[in-house]
Amino acid sequence: MRIAVLTGGGDCPGLNSAIRGIVYRAIDFGYDVIGFEEGWKGAIEGKTHRLSLVDVEEIVNQGGTILFASRTNPFIVENGPDRIMENLKKFEIDALIAIGGDDTLGVALKLYQLGVKVVGVPKTMDNDLSGTDFTFGFYTSVEVAVDALNRLKDTAKSHKRIIILEVMGREAGWVALYTGIAGGADWVLVPEEKPDFEAMCTHLMKDLERKGYALVVVSEGVDISLEEKGEVDQFGHTLLQKRGVGDFVADIISKKTGISTRSAVIGHIQRGGPPTVFDRMLALRTGVKAVDMIQNGEFGKMAALVGSEVTAVPLGDATSKLKLVDKNWLDLLRVFLK
Ligand code: F6P
């Protein structure tokens, strides 16, 4: 039995831990493991990567992915799915593990429907995948963003300023929400809610009067009514960082309040560095579970965290709709905006 593994979409901390979990569990069943490099690109082009015990034993704490990543969508590449199937035959691969977010797992589902024996391992710093309570990468990113917010607080306080921190997260506000609540921000803007700039500025003026500074966390995907679509990736997603939401909000605040305001974009810094223990454990457990699912013949599913258990859920549950911040979470956020 030989299995192949790939990491698709944007990287996030925990990918290497998941690869380690897969290889270690595969050894228990006597399976051979190889990697495809750069996500679906490597599966299309037949670019493989050796994955034996020595290749993975020291990577549990390493950020990024030793398999490299890309946002290649095989369904828009000429003969993409056929080339993948040819390579599965050529390298004598019996089953494929796709580690990724909604785009990568969406491709995995389509390939499964075409007859490929595939299982998924969910990952994304955005935490926007349905069917799983959390994805690895998320907590590490939030830790980094909270650290950044703490640092901004020192400088905001010294200069009696308002400082905006723009974080990633795409159409979901999880990273902004957790960063804002856990980091003690004074206002948080998430894509799920239309921004009320008047209310925000009135609130920030109160904060300034009381403590002399204020911090705002803004999600890159927040609705600022920009019409232009800009550059898109192979899955049709706009590169949101280019919209400059943090600067846009800082301008509005300084115009409306007359207070000196700055903005900082944390960007890809959030995606690097060693995974937290939570993310390592989740990644290792989902990696192990994915191999167990192959052993049990449970294809077309992903290894998801449901409550405290890692369990097999259909890939369709993950990819049918995004998991967004809902009213309960927004109510919790409001408790801390005093
Ligand atoms: O999906 C993960 C993510 O980090 C998003 O939060 C962000 O919008 C996007 O990837 C950035 O993509 P890229 O690394 O291609 O610039």
Side-chain angles (χ1 to χ4, degrees):
M1 181 87 166
R2 168 178 277 190
I3 58 180
V5 186
L6 60 84
T7 52
D11 71 322
C12 71
L15 287 169
N16 286 328
S17 314
I19 295 167
R20 188 178 197 264
I22 289 166
V23 173
Y24 271 65
R25 189 56 167 163
I27 291 169
D28 290 342
F29 297 126
Y31 296 172
D32 218 18
V33 190
I34 63 162
F36 279 128
E37 291 189 349
E38 295 182 71
W40 295 115
K41 186 169 191 280
I44 295 168
E45 295 174 3
K47 275 170 43 187
T48 60
H49 192 103
R50 198 185 69 166
L51 283 181
S52 62
L53 183 63
V54 291
D55 301 303
V56 302
E57 63 186 337
E58 292 180 13
I59 62 172
V60 73
N61 58 337
Q62 272 177 32
T65 164
I66 59 165
L67 291 179
F68 311 103
S70 76
R71 296 192 187 278
T72 305
N73 180 356
F75 286 89
I76 64 161
V77 172
E78 204 180 342
N79 299 324
D82 289 342
R83 288 167 70 188
I84 291 176
M85 290 199 250
E86 277 159 26
N87 281 325
L88 294 177
K89 260 198 211 122
K90 177 176 163 194
F91 295 104
E92 297 176 336
I93 291 157
D94 301 291
L96 179 63
I97 300 179
I99 310 177
D102 61 331
D103 295 332
T104 304
L105 297 181
V107 170
L109 176 60
K110 285 190 194 162
L111 289 174
Y112 169 68
Q113 288 160 346
L114 293 174
V116 177
K117 288 183 174 163
V118 58
V119 302
V121 170
K123 68 89 211 175
T124 163
M125 59 152 287
D126 302 335
N127 201 38
D128 59 356
L129 260 184
S130 296
T132 183
D133 291 351
F134 285 98
T135 45
F136 63 77
F138 171 66
Y139 270 116
T140 309
S141 298
V142 171
E143 290 282 350
V144 175
V146 167
D147 178 64
L149 194 66
N150 288 339
R151 289 165 194 273
L152 291 175
K153 181 176 170 175
D154 293 342
T155 170
K157 221 170 167 171
S158 308
H159 286 265
K160 300 192 173 176
R161 275 177 176 156
I162 299 173
I163 300 195
I164 320 292
L165 175 64
E166 179 188 320
V167 297
M168 284 183 172
R170 213 160 244 174
E171 285 90 14
W174 296 109
V175 178
L177 181 94
Y178 269 60
T179 303
I181 294 178
D186 300 293
W187 200 263
V188 178
L189 294 171
V190 293
E192 289 85 348
E193 202 175 43
K194 181 114 186 114
D196 182 343
F197 292 125
E198 279 306 322
M200 176 180 74
C201 289
T202 309
H203 186 90
L204 295 177
M205 288 309 287
K206 269 189 355 194
D207 293 320
L208 280 166
E209 267 166 38
R210 194 174 67 249
K211 57 178 181 168
Y213 74 98
L215 297 172
V216 178
V217 178
V218 182
S219 181
E220 63 176 1
V222 98
D223 178 7
I224 51 169
S225 305
L226 280 182
E227 291 308 321
E228 79 272 23
K229 185 103 172 104
E231 196 184 333
V232 293
D233 69 17
Q234 290 200 359
F235 288 90
H237 301 296
T238 306
L239 300 175
L240 295 173
Q241 213 180 305
K242 301 231 161 122
R243 297 166 78 222
V245 164
D247 280 342
F248 180 89
V249 173
D251 268 3
I252 289 186
I253 294 173
S254 51
K255 275 187 197 129
K256 281 191 190 292
T257 65
I259 304 292
S260 156
T261 306
R262 298 284 187 271
S263 88
V265 184
I266 187 169
H268 291 80
I269 295 168
Q270 273 163 115
R271 293 228 305 248
T276 59
V277 171
F278 179 89
D279 281 343
R280 285 181 210 193
M281 289 301 293
L282 181 57
L284 289 163
R285 290 174 74 202
T286 46
V288 167
K289 179 70 182 179
V291 180
D292 287 346
M293 285 157 62
I294 291 175
Q295 173 74 357
N296 299 333
E298 291 183 277
F299 299 106
K301 296 184 178 178
M302 68 172 186
L305 182 70
V306 180
S308 56
E309 296 298 314
V310 175
T311 180
V313 307
L315 282 170
D317 288 4
T319 56
S320 52
K321 65 170 174 24
L322 283 183
K323 182 175 71 187
L324 298 175
V325 171
D326 64 16
K327 185 181 174 303
N328 288 340
W329 283 101
L330 294 172
D331 288 345
L332 177 72
L333 170 64
R334 275 182 204 106
V335 172
F336 298 105
L337 305 184
K338 296 273 190 285

